[in-house]
């Protein structure tokens, strides 16, 4: 019997260890119906989240990130048959970087598992136009392929509003006539990316500037324009004299919308514009 007892103890130890291994907690798993989705700002997305938590479901944390930086976190404490129908309405500001939702499930043993949903945010041309201020940086003359922008316009910044109105900040440099004569009034961007901007003169004149937009993104806006009557400004010293009709490409640089935007000239006294009114128009 003395020789049998150690052997029985050894067998019991092995069986106990095996039972312990059998009872190790099983980590949860989590799956998404889709891990990448494309949506425009303003649209709603919906993705089914499936969870398997053998040790018992505790909570699901949903972390919204832009370029890896946490914006907000939501905790879900109850699921419906181990699933959640995640819904979200995409915002314009979600286009500032890579939008990611990180789903992490925790079980009652505090084990966890995670999966990412990447949302590719698309802005419509109108949303891009409204998202930024636009600094006029170049006016490229087609005949010379050179930047022909007048110095007075190099600090002009345009701002567009959802109401269909727009403003121009003249900056510190003003031209000899137009900046002191016209109110900047209404805009329309159609499905063909033709941008029309109206102005009203001090005597009630109606002017429409037509820009055929070729590029519009978070960096820049490029548009083809036609100018008429530039030949009246020839002095005789031009290497390439102006003709009565000239083709140009206007280039605007996108800027973050600033609280310091100042319509027309510096200061608040002239914010109503030189004409003081805008003629109503239809597009």
């Amino acid at each position: 019997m003395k020789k049998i007892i150690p052997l029985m103890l050894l067998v019991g130890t092995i069986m106990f260890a095996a039972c312990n291994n059998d009872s190790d907690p099983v980590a949860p798993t989590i799956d998404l119906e889709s891990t990448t989705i494309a949506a425009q700002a303003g649209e709603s997305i919906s993705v089914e989240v499936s969870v398997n938590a053998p040790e018992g479901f505790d909570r699901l944390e949903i972390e919204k990130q832009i370029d890896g930086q946490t914006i907000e976190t939501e905790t879900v404490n109850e699921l419906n048959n181990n699933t959640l129908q995640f819904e979200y309405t995409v915002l314009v500001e979600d286009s500032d970087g890579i939008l990611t939702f990180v789903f992490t499930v925790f079980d009652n043993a505090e084990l966890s598992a995670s999966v990412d949903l990447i949302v590719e945010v698309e802005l419509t041309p109108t949303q891009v136009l409204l998202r930024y201020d636009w600094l006029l940086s170049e006016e490229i003359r087609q005949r010379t392929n050179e930047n022909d922008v007048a110095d007075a316009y190099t600090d002009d910044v345009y701002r567009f509003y959802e109401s269909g109105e727009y403003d121009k900040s003249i900056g510190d440099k003003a031209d000899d006539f137009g900046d002191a004569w016209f109110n900047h009034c209404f805009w329309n961007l159609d499905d063909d990316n033709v941008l029309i901007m109206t102005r009203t003169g001090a005597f009630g004149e109606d002017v429409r500037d037509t820009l055929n937009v070729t590029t519009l993104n978070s960096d820049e806006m490029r548009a083809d324009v036609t100018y008429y009557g530039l030949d009246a400004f020839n002095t005789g010293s031009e290497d390439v004299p102006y003709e009565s009709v000239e083709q140009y490409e206007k280039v605007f640089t996108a800027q973050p919308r600033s609280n310091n935007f100042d319509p027309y000239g510096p200061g608040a006294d002239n914010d109503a514009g030189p004409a003081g009114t805008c003629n109503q128009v239809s597009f």
Side-chain angles (χ1 to χ4, degrees):
M1 293 294 294
K2 291 182 180 180
K3 294 182 180 180
I4 297 175
I5 291 175
L7 180 59
M8 292 177 64
L9 289 174
L10 177 61
V11 171
T13 301
I14 295 173
M15 291 179 64
F16 180 76
C19 289
N20 275 349
N21 288 337
D22 289 342
S23 63
D24 285 347
V26 179
T29 59
I30 183 170
D31 293 296
L32 298 180
E33 178 184 6
S34 176
T35 56
T36 304
I37 191 169
Q40 289 188 344
E43 291 183 346
S44 294
I45 60 174
S46 181
V47 176
E48 185 175 270
V49 185
S50 300
V51 168
N52 180 29
E55 304 302 322
F57 171 79
D58 181 66
R59 67 191 185 278
L60 174 66
E61 293 185 356
I62 306 171
E63 188 176 5
K64 175 184 174 182
Q65 299 180 351
I66 294 183
D67 283 345
Q69 299 296 314
T70 299
I71 305 301
E72 59 186 26
T73 301
E74 175 188 1
T75 300
V76 176
N77 294 310
E78 293 184 3
L79 300 178
N80 183 12
N81 293 325
N82 295 321
T83 64
L84 170 73
Q85 197 66 37
F86 172 74
E87 296 182 348
Y88 178 78
T89 300
V90 180
L91 306 175
V92 170
E93 51 265 36
D94 290 335
S95 66
D96 287 341
I98 299 175
L99 174 62
T100 305
F101 290 95
V102 181
F103 298 84
T104 304
V105 59
F106 294 87
D107 66 14
N108 291 329
E110 275 302 303
L111 297 176
S112 64
S114 296
V115 65
D116 293 354
L117 169 65
I118 297 175
V119 183
E120 299 172 353
V121 180
E122 304 169 356
L123 297 183
T124 66
T126 295
Q127 287 170 334
V128 175
L129 192 68
L130 295 170
R131 180 84 169 111
Y132 303 97
D133 286 337
W134 299 94
L135 171 68
L136 179 62
S137 56
E138 295 180 272
E139 286 193 311
I140 302 172
R141 187 183 178 194
Q142 188 178 82
R143 293 189 67 203
T144 62
N145 202 33
E146 294 180 354
N147 182 16
D148 203 30
V149 67
D151 181 65
Y153 303 142
T154 55
D155 59 352
D156 288 358
V157 177
Y158 294 81
R159 173 173 289 185
F160 299 87
Y161 303 99
E162 289 188 38
S163 63
E165 300 172 300
Y166 79 98
D167 277 327
K168 171 184 168 183
S169 176
I170 296 168
D172 294 326
K173 296 180 284 188
D175 68 11
D176 295 331
F177 176 68
D179 286 340
W181 192 260
F182 289 100
N183 265 45
H184 301 276
C185 298
F186 303 103
W187 66 274
N188 182 73
L189 180 64
D190 67 17
D191 293 337
D192 295 322
N193 283 343
V194 176
L195 175 62
I196 297 177
M197 303 160 63
T198 73
R199 293 179 285 151
T200 299
F203 290 160
E205 306 96 317
D206 280 323
V207 176
R208 294 193 176 202
D209 299 318
T210 302
L211 289 71
N212 295 293
V213 178
T214 58
T215 300
L216 182 55
N217 55 41
S218 59
D219 296 319
E220 66 177 11
M221 173 169 60
R222 290 177 174 265
D224 296 329
V225 299
T226 302
Y227 288 135
Y228 299 92
L230 292 183
D231 54 330
F233 298 98
N234 285 327
T235 63
S237 62
E238 290 83 8
D239 293 333
V240 182
Y242 292 105
E243 297 184 349
S244 58
V245 180
E246 292 267 3
Q247 304 298 323
Y248 277 77
E249 181 183 40
K250 294 174 77 79
V251 182
F252 300 83
T253 301
Q255 297 184 329
R257 288 172 75 102
S258 168
N259 292 329
N260 298 323
F261 181 85
D262 186 4
Y264 301 100
D269 293 342
N270 56 17
D271 285 358
T277 187
C278 280
N279 294 332
Q280 295 300 310
V281 298
S282 58
F283 294 104

